[in-house]
Amino acid sequence: MSEEAAIRAEMEQTQQQALTALQTVQNEAELLAWRNAHLGRTAPVMLFFSRLPQFPKELRPQIGQAANQVKLTLEAAYEARRQELQASSLQQRLSSERVDVTLPGRRLPLGHLHPSTQILAEICAIFGEMGFQVYRSPEVESDENNFELLNIPAHHPARDMWDTFHTTRPGVVLRTHTSPGQIRAMRQMAPNPLRVILPGMTYRYEQTNASHESQFNQVELLAIGQNITFGDLQGTLTDFARRMFGAEVHVRLRPSYFPFTEPSAEIDIECFLCGGKGCTVCKGGGWLEIGGCGMVHPVVLRNGGYDPARFTGFAAGLGPERIAMLKYRISDIRYFFGGDLRFLEQF
Ligand code: DAH
């Protein structure tokens, strides 16, 4: 056999061995190993190139070309096998995994407004239509605004009506009601007539139970002008109750006492569940209390900058959570700020 024939036979064998080995390759790792063994720097096919100088000059081009041909063949076979493996692993995944395109999509949880925020917005909207403007007033208040200027002097027994959270700073409290906002609104507006509502959070140092919570919202109502009467108060509250609870609802103002109003009254609405006959919601009485009200006390008017000889006014304080509890028949006020999503998600 000539020298050329011998080297060609050797090349043929190298190629055949590599191709046979490639057929047994089953995964990516094996494929990589094959590539190192048969196309790497020290692979047999590569050695043909380094052996070229051993051959006579006139044979070198043919041998070089033949070696190159082997290398190209192996490279092409490698690429084909790589694609084959890739396709079969995809095939495997497709047949082992399933996508049920008829399944409904997954819903993203959507948040919404807190029930107290919703009822506050509703109350503000109703009074807004009656011409009341929202007035914002701080939750951290001076003892002076929260009590003194509302005609509740220190040591007066009426202070017992509001159990107070005091701050570390003397004379600064968490407001126990929204009424101190009356003083702020009056001092800003006097001597002009005013018609405002003051919604917001209030705080009481209370033993909590189903009807008492240490924080809750209030909506304060205040109208001051030259001919404002108790009848205006009654009409305003009746209109509000009808819009909130239904056109049939009756309002009753029951005589009461607050230091900052004279006369004072509790606001009752006729039980809209039993129509006043008496049921479990109204505890048999036929009426439900939703707040307090009265004509602004002359001392308070003066503290706010109005001359009580010329001005009169009415005020009221409503409990939005109480209103929501009645409207949606919620049995325990502690649900509102308990943070339980099972409750909150119902609104
Ligand atoms: N501030 C009172 C309270 O929290 C409620 C109240 C009663 C407000 C009578 C008023 C009012 O404006 O006139 O108990």
Side-chain angles (χ1 to χ4, degrees):
M1 198 166 15
S2 72
E3 213 175 351
E4 192 188 348
I7 190 76
R8 281 189 183 277
E10 201 183 321
M11 283 180 188
E12 177 64 31
Q13 200 187 355
T14 299
Q15 177 172 316
Q16 212 41 61
Q17 274 170 359
L19 290 178
T20 308
L22 190 58
Q23 287 316 305
T24 69
V25 162
Q26 293 304 334
N27 55 47
E28 216 170 316
E30 288 174 13
L31 187 65
L32 212 68
W34 181 90
R35 187 188 156 121
N36 280 334
H38 298 281
L39 282 168
R41 265 191 311 125
T42 56
V45 62
M46 296 307 181
L47 296 181
F48 290 125
F49 295 106
S50 47
R51 278 162 60 195
L52 274 184
Q54 299 170 8
F55 294 100
K57 245 197 171 100
E58 62 281 9
L59 282 182
R60 289 180 199 163
Q62 288 95 305
I63 294 174
Q65 265 174 22
N68 209 35
Q69 193 52 55
V70 173
K71 183 172 163 251
L72 289 176
T73 304
L74 293 186
E75 275 171 357
Y78 164 83
E79 182 56 26
R81 186 69 186 142
R82 194 183 64 77
Q83 285 180 12
E84 244 171 59
L85 285 177
Q86 210 170 46
S88 82
S89 81
L90 187 67
Q91 200 57 49
Q92 248 170 27
R93 254 191 81 186
L94 282 179
S95 58
S96 67
E97 295 176 9
R98 264 172 232 289
V99 176
D100 183 349
V101 294
T102 65
L103 279 177
R106 272 186 210 133
R107 247 176 216 291
L108 291 176
L110 251 195
H112 63 74
L113 294 178
H114 188 280
S116 291
T117 309
Q118 292 183 35
I119 201 90
L120 277 176
E122 213 177 315
I123 294 171
C124 290
I126 292 173
F127 284 115
E129 284 176 10
M130 295 188 213
F132 286 82
Q133 229 175 328
V134 171
Y135 189 94
R136 292 280 172 194
S137 187
E139 294 173 19
V140 179
E141 258 297 5
S142 62
D143 182 281
E144 198 181 23
N145 283 342
N146 196 81
F147 295 116
E148 297 275 334
L149 296 172
L150 290 172
N151 202 26
I152 318 166
H155 312 301
H156 192 281
R159 286 222 178 184
D160 286 354
M161 293 167 78
W162 299 273
D163 299 300
T164 311
F165 281 115
H166 296 269
T167 68
T168 49
R169 184 167 327 174
V172 178
V173 301
L174 295 190
R175 65 176 175 191
T176 58
H177 50 179
T178 44
S179 302
Q182 289 190 23
I183 299 292
R184 291 176 180 270
M186 285 192 279
R187 289 191 165 176
Q188 186 176 328
M189 307 290 273
N192 299 304
L194 69 79
R195 200 161 21 162
V196 292
I197 52 171
L198 304 105
M201 197 65 83
T202 59
Y203 303 86
R204 300 240 180 122
Y205 184 56
E206 296 258 23
Q207 186 81 44
T208 61
N209 60 32
S211 50
H212 293 85
E213 176 57 289
S214 53
Q215 70 174 90
F216 53 90
N217 285 285
Q218 281 195 342
V219 176
E220 193 83 9
L221 213 58
L222 179 66
I224 295 178
Q226 284 188 326
N227 293 301
I228 290 189
T229 67
F230 198 85
D232 294 325
L233 171 59
Q234 198 160 20
T236 303
L237 291 173
T238 302
D239 195 15
F240 164 74
R242 287 183 180 160
R243 295 196 201 197
M244 185 54 110
F245 296 103
E248 307 306 317
V249 121
H250 288 108
V251 173
R252 174 177 83 174
L253 297 183
R254 177 165 42 90
S256 185
Y257 171 76
F258 295 101
F260 32 85
T261 43
E262 182 58 38
S264 305
E266 306 283 350
I267 309 160
D268 293 340
I269 55 165
E270 196 178 48
C271 181
F272 47 86
L273 280 171
C274 61
K277 287 192 211 55
C279 68
T280 51
V281 169
C282 59
K283 304 204 173 75
W287 295 91
L288 302 160
E289 189 187 320
I290 60 166
C293 67
M295 299 304 289
V296 181
H297 196 288
V299 166
V300 176
L301 279 176
R302 201 175 300 114
N303 288 341
Y306 290 91
D307 177 1
R310 291 176 54 224
F311 287 91
T312 54
F314 68 69
L318 303 171
E321 279 83 19
R322 173 108 182 112
I323 289 170
M325 284 169 79
L326 297 173
K327 200 166 167 166
Y328 303 116
R329 293 219 241 164
I330 299 160
S331 58
D332 195 318
I333 194 171
R334 289 169 295 191
Y335 283 128
F336 283 90
F337 305 108
D340 189 336
L341 286 179
R342 290 170 305 176
F343 168 75
L344 297 174
E345 278 170 351
Q346 295 178 49
F347 296 88

